[in-house]
Amino acid sequence: SLYHPLTCSLYELCLPTRGGGCPERFCAERVCLAGVPLLVVLSETAFPHAIHALVRDGAESGKSDKEIRFAVRDDGVYTMLPRKEKQVMTRCAEELLTGTFSSAPSEVALGGALGEVPAGKTSIMRLSMLGGAQHVCSADFSIGSARFKLALAKAPGGAQFTLGIAPTSGGIDHIVHLARRSPLPADGGGGGDGDGVGPVALSGEVHNVGGTDLLIYTLLDVSPCALRVLVADPSSGSACCQLIVLDDSGTGAEPRQQPCAARDLVLRAFKASAAAASPGALASAVGGGGGGGSDNVSKCIHRTTRVLPSCQPVLLSLIRKSMGDGMDVRFQVMLYHPASARELAVSVPLPLEDKVLRACGLGDHGTTNAREVDKAAKEVAAHLMHCVTVHDDGSGFALRDELMAGASDVTSPPKAAKAAAK
């Protein structure tokens, strides 16, 4: 909440939190309070779980460095969003604000039941933002083999919308409420926010709907005045459903975004907030779970959380390293303590590594290649994580030279040797 006592002006921005096992969401707005333009960004990060807030000068010049930042952290333990999906989430938001999001040609729709919306194609509708309540549209879309239904409704008297998404097979809907808190532009352009620049509101989140993760974005835009809705695949960023609702107040505005200072300012604030909310270097380095081929020089093969006696979570990651040819495998255990921002990386001693590899039916660090390790990653990680003892205060950890009960590093010949014998 922002309050201006001299004029009794009040502005509130709401962000639902703790929605699902991986709560990652944000909302960014440019508003004018008592004649003063402001940029306000709220975001939630899943791990370490925290709410981040940023308030900065929203003047069109963008030259002021006045801002206020703060974060509220707690001991909630949630799944970390993989680095690749985090990058996709940020990239889609930036492209939505800059008008560069790639999509197939658009088609004009009359609203109502749109039926199956082809992936990548944008459906465009027109209505009066100042008109009465109405059902804007409903549509079906799919991501992989999962099918979903979408519904969009408008409240009377302004740009206040409710978006609902649910599996076609039935289940609990995910609801997003949108409301433009500033006056609408009178001309469909960039004015109407008290300083001639215009209000812009962007929101985005990762949400699991019916067992499938979806990226859901909404943009209450100016130049032209419109609501833009995007549902995308978090693994690739490809659009599954795109809608544009244009304000049809006699202006005949085109859906293509025009240059807009307010949109540029929101983009800058969003980038600044996203950079501040990112975890430490080690945590972000292992956040993506690796990528590319299975014989990468460095790859995260396992990630888990441990809860300290103080109920604070720490992140443990197991990194598999190898030479460029995939041979000479090494392991490294990384610890990240979000409450203290402490980061620690320790290499697994070769005797312990060889014990674990042999217990998994592999050779030793010199004869086992990266592909073989990656195929047995689950078993290797179980043995190595069993050897990790985290200190009670989260300041570090120790590696015990002790395999899981029932495991042996000598009785079973390596799998490669068995295959050669056959």
Side-chain angles (χ1 to χ4, degrees):
S1 297
L2 300 176
Y3 179 67
H4 189 260
L6 295 181
T7 60
C8 296
S9 301
L10 177 66
Y11 164 78
E12 292 183 337
L13 180 61
C14 300
L15 180 73
T17 61
R18 297 174 176 268
C22 181
E24 288 274 348
R25 55 176 52 84
F26 68 87
C27 55
E29 292 195 14
R30 184 188 183 278
V31 296
C32 203
L33 183 66
V36 179
L38 297 170
L39 293 161
V40 184
V41 184
L42 286 179
S43 62
E44 180 182 20
T45 53
F47 190 94
H49 187 249
I51 307 298
H52 304 266
L54 168 65
V55 181
R56 62 163 47 177
D57 185 1
E60 184 176 359
S61 64
K63 296 180 180 180
S64 174
D65 58 355
K66 296 179 180 179
E67 64 177 34
I68 298 174
R69 297 175 182 264
F70 61 90
V72 179
R73 305 181 186 275
D74 62 22
D75 298 330
V77 179
Y78 297 95
T79 302
M80 174 183 278
L81 185 68
R83 181 177 57 171
K84 180 181 177 181
E85 295 186 12
K86 186 80 170 180
Q87 292 171 340
V88 169
M89 184 179 184
T90 302
R91 174 174 58 81
C92 290
E94 293 176 359
E95 292 180 353
L96 195 60
L97 283 170
T98 56
T100 58
F101 191 89
S102 58
S103 64
S106 59
E107 61 178 10
V108 178
L110 299 177
L114 302 180
E116 183 74 19
V117 177
K121 182 164 287 189
T122 304
S123 298
I124 302 172
M125 292 149 285
R126 296 179 183 270
L127 55 79
S128 173
M129 293 288 186
L130 299 176
Q134 68 178 92
H135 172 255
V136 180
C137 69
S138 60
D140 298 323
F141 67 92
S142 59
I143 173 172
S145 60
R147 295 178 55 82
F148 302 90
K149 54 187 177 182
L150 175 150
L152 181 64
K154 178 189 171 299
Q160 302 182 55
F161 294 88
T162 299
L163 173 69
I165 300 176
T168 304
S169 58
I172 300 177
D173 290 10
H174 176 54
I175 305 296
V176 180
H177 295 288
L178 314 165
R180 189 189 294 275
R181 296 164 181 80
S182 304
L184 287 170
D187 58 355
D193 198 22
D195 64 347
V197 180
V200 173
L202 171 70
S203 70
E205 63 179 307
V206 178
H207 198 86
N208 188 282
V209 181
T212 302
D213 286 338
L214 299 176
L215 278 177
I216 305 171
Y217 298 91
T218 61
L219 175 62
L220 287 168
D221 201 5
V222 291
S223 296
C225 178
L227 167 67
R228 302 176 188 271
V229 177
L230 168 66
V231 182
D233 181 353
S235 62
S236 64
S238 58
C240 303
C241 181
Q242 290 189 78
L243 305 174
I244 299 178
V245 181
L246 286 168
D247 180 27
D248 189 17
S249 301
T251 60
E254 294 299 319
R256 183 180 179 84
Q257 289 174 317
Q258 302 301 317
C260 172
R263 203 183 300 121
D264 294 340
L265 292 168
V266 169
L267 176 60
R268 288 186 216 167
F270 167 73
K271 287 182 175 180
S273 177
S278 61
L282 291 181
S284 60
V286 303
S294 61
D295 49 1
N296 285 340
V297 173
S298 181
K299 179 180 180 181
C300 177
I301 62 172
H302 183 73
R303 186 177 60 225
T304 186
T305 56
R306 298 271 181 93
V307 180
L308 304 177
S310 62
C311 296
Q312 293 179 340
V314 295
L315 176 70
L316 288 173
S317 302
L318 178 61
I319 309 300
R320 185 268 296 146
K321 296 186 175 184
S322 65
M323 301 298 291
D325 58 359
M327 299 301 293
D328 198 18
V329 175
R330 298 287 192 276
F331 293 102
Q332 191 175 54
V333 179
M334 291 182 173
L335 178 144
Y336 176 61
H337 188 192
S340 63
R342 183 180 293 113
E343 299 174 339
L344 179 66
V346 175
S347 296
V348 176
L350 287 181
L352 175 58
E353 177 180 333
D354 289 342
K355 275 189 175 183
V356 169
L357 291 175
R358 286 193 290 266
C360 297
L362 304 173
D364 57 27
H365 69 277
T367 61
T368 304
N369 63 42
R371 292 181 180 274
E372 293 172 337
V373 170
D374 291 349
K375 288 180 180 179
K378 187 174 181 181
E379 189 177 359
V380 171
H383 281 290
L384 280 175
M385 289 295 107
H386 172 76
C387 299
V388 176
T389 302
V390 179
H391 299 166
D392 287 348
D393 59 357
S395 60
F397 61 91
L399 289 172
R400 304 190 315 273
D401 190 2
E402 178 184 333
L403 299 180
M404 290 190 299
S408 172
D409 64 333
V410 295
T411 57
S412 178
K415 292 178 181 178
K418 288 182 178 179
K422 290 182 179 180

